[in-house]
Amino acid sequence: MSALTDKPAVLVARRAPEAVLQRLQASFEVDYHDGELPLPPAELQARLHGKAGAYITGTERITAALLDACPALRVVCTMSVGYNHIDLAACTARGVLVTNTPDVLTESTADFGFALLMATARRMSEGERLLRDGGWKSWAWDFLAGSEVHGTTLGILGMGRIGQAIARRGHFGFGMPVIYHNRSRLPVDTEAELGARYVSKETLLREADHLVLVLPYSAEAHHCIAAPELALMKPTATLVNVARGGIVDEDALALALRERRIAAAGLDVFEGEPRVNPALLTLPNVVLTPHIASATLPTRRAMAGLAADNLIAALTGGKPPTPLNPEVLSA
Ligand code: 8YV
C-alpha cells in the first residue's frame, strides 16, 4: 500500500497505451517509467522496492536476486506471451504470481511470421534495397528470382498456438504440406485440420523448404539451431525465426548464409537484441526486422489491456485471467 493512499503501489516499467495507464492509475498508486529505453537493472530493482506489483514487458528481467531485494512484490505481469525474462521458479518459490498475455497476439504474430517467410523466400528486402540504390537497370529471366512458396513443404519447430496459426496459413492459403516437430505431438484431429505431419527434428530439418521457428526459449532450446542442424537443411531452404534470438547460433547461421548452405533467412529476434550480430548485417540473403511480429496497434492494445486485467485482478482480490503459476493463488 502507498503511505498516502490505500491503493497498492505498482511500477509500470514501460510506456503503456493511455487508456490502459488510466485504468491502472484508477486502481493503483502508479510509479510510471515513460522513457524510451528500459530502466537499467539497478534502477528497475530500486523502483520496484516496496511495490506490490510490476507491469513489465520482455525488456525487464525479473531475477531471484531482484525478488530478494523486493520482498513486497506479489505479482509480476508481463505484456508478452514469452516469459524467459522472468525466473518463474524463483517467483513461485517466493509466492509471487506471474502472468503473461497469450492468445491475443497469436494471429498477428502468425501473419508476421508468414509475411517474413514470404519476404525472405521472394527476396523482397534485397529487391527494395537494390531499387533504392539505383541498381534496377533492366529485366532478366533470373533477376532476383527467389524460392517458391505455394505448394512447398512448410516446416514448423514448436507447434503451440502461434505455430498452429502459421500452419493454418500455409495449409489453407498456400497449399503447403506441413511437417512439424514439438515436445509433444498434437491430437490427431488437430493434425488433420492443419494438414500437419509430426516428424523427428532431423526429418524436419532435412525435408522443410521453409522452416519457421516458433518454440519458446528455454535452456534446452538455446542454440538448438546451430551448425549441425543447418548442415541438414536443403541448400534451397529458408529459415525464419519469430521466437527468440538465443534459439539460433547466429555465427553459424551467418556462415551458412554466406556459403549458401541454406538460401536465406528471415529474423525478427536476435540474441542480445537490440544489438544485431554484425556478421548478419552484411549479408544480402537475410531479412532483418526489429522484433515486431506482434506489433499491430489492436494487438499491442489487447496485450497491454490483458496485462492490466491481470494486475488489477491479482491485487484487488479478483481472478487473474492468464496466470503462469496459478499454484501461487491457491497456496
Ligand atoms: C513482444 C514477444 O513484442 O510476446 C512476446 O513474447 O516477443 C513480443 O510480442 C515483446 O516481448 C514485448 O513484451
Side-chain angles (χ1 to χ4, degrees):
M1 293 288 166
S2 150
L4 301 175
T5 70
D6 56 0
K7 292 176 179 173
V10 303
L11 174 69
V12 176
R14 295 306 302 271
R15 276 208 306 260
E18 192 53 37
V20 171
L21 183 66
Q22 283 172 11
R23 282 179 59 213
L24 293 170
Q25 285 168 333
S27 300
F28 305 119
E29 200 59 46
V30 173
D31 176 6
Y32 186 36
H33 172 61
D34 65 352
E36 283 283 329
L37 298 176
L39 291 167
E43 202 184 328
L44 176 69
Q45 181 171 309
R47 286 177 67 169
L48 270 178
H49 185 80
K51 303 289 189 334
Y55 183 100
I56 64 165
T57 70
T59 52
E60 287 68 50
R61 280 178 57 74
I62 303 294
T63 61
L66 178 144
L67 294 169
D68 289 339
C70 303
L73 198 60
R74 287 165 47 207
V75 56
V76 173
C77 300
T78 184
M79 180 193 147
S80 61
V81 66
Y83 53 89
N84 55 295
H85 53 296
I86 301 171
D87 187 336
L88 184 62
C91 286
T92 306
R94 290 160 182 76
V96 175
L97 180 74
V98 182
T99 69
N100 68 340
T101 58
D103 301 319
V104 291
L105 48 54
T106 299
E107 298 301 327
S108 314
T109 304
D111 284 348
F112 189 91
F114 213 87
L116 190 53
L117 185 164
M118 295 197 73
T120 305
R122 299 301 306 270
R123 303 173 64 181
M124 286 185 177
S125 299
E126 202 182 342
E128 185 178 358
R129 273 195 304 273
L130 178 137
L131 180 152
R132 286 179 187 269
D133 292 347
W136 185 19
K137 305 294 182 205
S138 180
W139 181 94
W141 77 271
D142 58 350
F143 178 53
L144 284 168
S147 313
E148 211 66 90
V149 175
H150 71 273
T152 60
T153 298
L154 173 60
I156 298 183
L157 185 58
M159 198 60 142
R161 287 169 283 232
I162 298 169
Q164 290 176 43
I166 292 174
R168 214 166 275 122
R169 281 155 179 75
H171 175 60
F172 291 108
F174 293 81
M176 299 170 91
V178 178
I179 54 176
Y180 76 99
H181 184 73
N182 196 39
R183 266 175 308 191
S184 50
R185 200 175 153 173
L186 295 175
V188 277
D189 51 344
T190 310
E191 285 186 349
E193 184 229 330
L194 301 172
R197 183 164 60 90
Y198 182 81
V199 295
S200 68
K201 185 177 166 192
E202 183 175 332
T203 302
L204 182 77
L205 291 159
R206 284 188 193 283
E207 291 186 7
D209 291 308
H210 305 287
L211 177 60
V212 185
L213 309 178
V214 213
L215 66 166
Y217 182 77
S218 65
E220 75 196 32
H222 182 76
H223 287 193
C224 75
I225 300 295
E229 289 75 22
L230 293 164
L232 293 176
M233 292 177 68
K234 296 181 184 181
T236 50
T238 301
L239 177 71
V240 170
N241 187 4
V242 286
R244 283 293 179 268
I247 291 169
V248 175
D249 177 340
E250 290 171 353
D251 288 328
L253 176 62
L255 191 63
L257 289 167
R258 186 173 308 114
E259 295 180 349
R260 305 277 168 170
R261 282 190 269 116
I262 67 169
L267 306 174
D268 185 50
V269 285
F270 304 89
E271 191 167 8
E273 63 188 44
R275 193 194 71 90
V276 177
N277 188 323
L280 293 169
L281 291 169
T282 59
L283 295 167
N285 51 343
V286 56
V287 178
L288 306 167
T289 54
H291 201 151
I292 52 171
S294 68
T296 68
L297 286 175
T299 291
R300 286 288 170 78
R301 288 197 183 102
M303 292 165 69
L306 179 54
D309 294 345
N310 276 304
L311 189 58
I312 292 167
L315 292 177
T316 62
K319 191 172 177 306
T322 50
L324 283 164
N325 54 354
E327 60 272 32
V328 166
L329 292 168
S330 45

